[in-house]
Amino acid sequence: MTGDTRVVAVLGPTNTGKTTYAIERMLGHRTGVIGLPLRLLAREVYDRVVAARGPSVVALVTGEERIVPPRTQYWICTVEAMPDGIGCDFLAVDEIQLCADPERGHVFTDRLLRARGLHETLFLGADTMRGPIRALVPQAQFVQRERMSELTYVGPKKISRMKPRSAIVGFSVENVYAIAELIRRQKGGAAVVMGALSPRTRNAQVDMYQNGEVDYLVATDAIGMGLNLDVDHVAFSALSKFDGRRMRPLAPNELAQIAGRAGRGMKNGTFGVTGDASPLDEGVAEAITSHRFTPLKKLNWRNHALRFGSIDGLIASLEAAPDHEVLVKAREADDLGALKVLAQDAEVAARCTDGPSVRLLWDVCRIPDFRGISHAEHTSLLEAIFNHLHERGTLPDDWLAQRTNRIDRTDGDIDALSKRLAFIRTWTYVAQRKGWTIDESHWREQTRSVEDRLSDALHERLTQRFVDRRTSVLLRRLGQKEAMVAEVSNTGEVTVEGEFVGRLEGFRFSQDKGAGGAEAKTIKSAALQALGPQFHLRADRFYNAPDTEIDFTEQGGLVWGKDAVGKLVAGADALKPQVEVFVDDVAGPEVAQKVQRRLQHFIDRKIAALFEPLLNLSRDEELTGLARGFAFQMVEALGVLPRASVAEDVKALDQDARGALRKHGIRFGQFTIFMPLLLKPAPTRLRLVLWSLMQGVQDFPEAPPPGLVTIPADKTAPAGADTMSGYRNAGERAIRIDMLERLADMLRGENSRAGFEANADMLSITGMTLEQFADLMQGLGYKADKGERTKVKPVDAVVTPSEPAPEGDTPVMDQAEAAEAPAVPTPEVPDGETPVPVTPAEETPIGEAPDAEEAGPELETFYTFTWGRPPRNAGAPNRRQGGERPQGKGKGKPGGKGKRGGPRGEKDKGAQKFSARPPKPEKKIDPDNPFAAALMGLKDTK
């Protein structure tokens, strides 16, 4: 050491610029070394020096990372990795107060006593080190630096009320994760910083915080060691920590080291407590803010002059006592504990018979226990490494590959990745030891790449779990009180500032269902604030949209495309419903009024188009007297009136009044008075909605499928729903109103007193089986008597021989004939009955009938229908119900014979007309019809 060596102790609280001062002093020399307490801080300082001098002259050496260019001038190291005897011009040790640390203090003390630069040496740390440095390094000069900003204690504060740019400190992994999860739910997310993270993961998390992607940082006490972060407030979630042996309260100077991270440069900072941490004692808070702490009296020390002649000699030299009153022997560290355990192993003891072997064993014992599984597990690994190195000189490649490949996986959760990262750190440390592997560069690169992959995966998992970027971005923009940009896709997806927040369904915002609690509140506030212009744009587009884009539902809803935009509500008139719009309040009254006007125009035009005959009837001023009153009832009933309900009014109408009403398309049916045009599917669908609104029913009845003559009767539907649907309930099924009137016309020609059977036309018009038709007739007021009889079969056909076809020719139906030929009917089978198999044609030769004697007589079911007393409110018009006076012996029944036995109509048919057209072909009789035999017999007698 030269005579002009300058030793300076730069002491003071946090945020005094001590580390920056040391970097500037080092760069003023040709060569230099800086020892730092954490590899995270070493990486940060390395990046700063590289930015100033370039990577070709700057080295980074830590236990798990080694970057040493050939022309290295400046060495950035962890204190444990500082090189010995390189003769640098400048040397600095940061956070020198760690000499008192129970675990690592002896290393810092050794650097205080023995590490020197050729021209300048700096020791940076807290003012509590002034006494020990003066006692151990008498030649040291002291430089006091004051904090550049004020630090204020603000007491306890809930995490939910924590201001942005805050750091919450926990002292265990579980505590850190729990706090980060809470902040994610309430504040949008937090970055996580722990000493166990790799530099790559830590830097990625810090960058996320520094760049403003998140406003909160959750960390262990690792942030207290010189990390330069943009923190305004530090909150302690606990005031005690586990130091590796026991839980102990943090000393005021330790709390100050962490709290001092708040406020950087000239910016003031605050600190306090949160969660379950009790408020700080007034004296402790005052000591932290005024930076006055109890001076250190003792420093941990361990002998550096080791004897490697034997294992026992090495242990003895490590346990030697210090010879200075300021120094105390450090407690047994992990490396010494591992050495004592391995010394008891017979194989290890047998190998350590010389100095190089003992030195190798000591180097192996100094491998840190990154995995933290157990001391036995760690010493077992150390033994395996030592045996390989002592036997072969290097570690086998296949042995290393097996262990690193097993770790090289990026699947799993945060805990799994953290464990793998701790495991790979062991092999990264091993790969950095010179001479321990055959190909040092390969294994350093291999272990580093595995650690990088695991670090990236861990950063990704931490971000996924503890950061809700959407909420974080929205909260930040809301706090800035600036206009936010919202975009709505063609499918209605809403993004605010690029973050998906929900869907715009019509004019109502439906936020993302995955959000909850404070997150949901934030999303809604941001979305509704940003969607203001979108509501107006959408309202303009909706107002100019054609009616084809708008529709109503069978429950009275109004939709635009697939989005509900309103609903119909009852008005003063059935044909004048009102509109209630679905528009968020934030859209404003102007948007709501525009949507309401457009929907009202739509429904008014829809009613005008579908109910034009009914509206014309209501506006016909030529109708007077009873006709006008009856027209009013038809309009109120939306064009469909059960005749029974207006029987007296119908009876009072004269022929002129009826004629005037018929001009508007009104048909006076025997069961229903209706307007046929209003029975079409579209008017029926709207009529049910309008009727349901006026009736105030909860669940609107749905319109029947179009084209069906009969449908199952809905017993649960409100009274009158069948009429509004265009059907009439009769038994288990309901029949369409217009088809019921056609059936009534057929029934007029039947003798209902003597009884009659259903013919094929009756079954055909209703599309029913005989059993279903019988139920229908009973629902109309008839009695149906069931019976059985022998089925009448046609006589055997007589085959007339015809001219044989020419030899070799087979009569074949050409394609045109085949197309015109009628299809063979398939008999309908009622529900629940078993179909009767049809005998194939080839089994019954032409001209022969099946053997009746062998099969026995075949029976058929038939029904005889007679007029019975109609059920209450059946609606069959008769004298008591005020209908037209029935004539003939069918008096009182729907459709009886007139005086001349022919069908009775409302008017005389007039003179019979003749035509030169050929007679219409008779309708062929379905052979499967139960009345086929009887009808064929009647046909033959004509």
Side-chain angles (χ1 to χ4, degrees), residues 79-80 82 107-116 123:
V79 173
E80 286 85 350
M82 291 176 68
V107 179
F108 283 80
T109 301
D110 181 72
R111 301 296 182 260
L112 175 66
L113 295 175
R114 301 191 311 111
R116 298 291 184 270
F123 296 116

Side-chain angles (χ1 to χ4, degrees), residues 590-644:
E590 183 180 347
V591 172
Q593 291 171 8
K594 187 173 290 187
V595 174
Q596 196 275 339
R597 288 197 302 269
R598 181 65 186 89
L599 290 176
Q600 194 67 56
H601 293 162
F602 161 76
I603 197 63
D604 290 345
R605 283 197 291 264
K606 182 68 71 174
I607 291 174
L610 296 180
F611 288 90
E612 182 180 4
L614 200 61
L615 295 174
N616 290 338
L617 177 65
S618 67
R619 291 191 288 260
D620 189 352
E621 296 181 357
E622 296 182 1
L623 294 176
T624 58
L626 295 176
R628 188 168 185 81
F630 192 83
F632 178 77
Q633 292 187 67
M634 283 294 293
V635 173
E636 275 195 328
L638 300 174
V640 186
L641 265 173
R643 184 158 183 159

Side-chain angles (χ1 to χ4, degrees), residues 823-835:
V824 178
T826 302
E828 295 185 2
V829 181
D831 293 342
E833 296 190 9
T834 304

Side-chain angles (χ1 to χ4, degrees), residues 891-939:
K891 181 176 182 180
K893 66 177 179 62
K897 284 191 176 181
K899 289 182 179 180
R900 288 177 280 190
R904 177 181 56 79
E906 295 181 19
K907 296 175 64 177
D908 292 338
K909 292 186 177 179
Q912 188 175 2
K913 296 181 180 180
F914 295 89
S915 173
R917 296 178 182 174
K920 293 183 179 179
E922 294 185 8
K923 186 175 181 180
K924 295 184 179 182
I925 298 173
D926 185 354
D928 295 307
N929 191 294
F931 300 102
L935 294 174
M936 289 176 65
L938 291 172
K939 181 178 178 182

Side-chain angles (χ1 to χ4, degrees), residues 59-74:
L60 175 65
V61 181
T62 67
E64 302 134 72
E65 195 168 13
R66 186 179 180 86
I67 303 173
V68 183
R71 299 186 298 110
T72 297
Q73 294 178 253
Y74 305 106

Side-chain angles (χ1 to χ4, degrees), residues 461-490:
R461 299 295 194 285
L462 289 170
T463 303
Q464 287 176 352
R465 179 171 172 182
F466 300 126
V467 177
D468 185 339
R469 293 183 183 275
R470 174 178 61 187
T471 306
S472 179
V473 168
L474 298 181
L475 275 172
R476 187 165 59 253
R477 295 307 303 272
L478 283 171
Q480 294 170 352
K481 300 186 183 303
E482 296 179 0
M484 290 182 286
V485 178
E487 296 181 0
V488 183
S489 69
N490 294 333

Side-chain angles (χ1 to χ4, degrees), residues 159 175 236-239 273-279:
I159 290 179
N175 192 18
F236 293 94
S237 66
L239 299 177
V273 295
T274 189
D276 297 331
S278 58

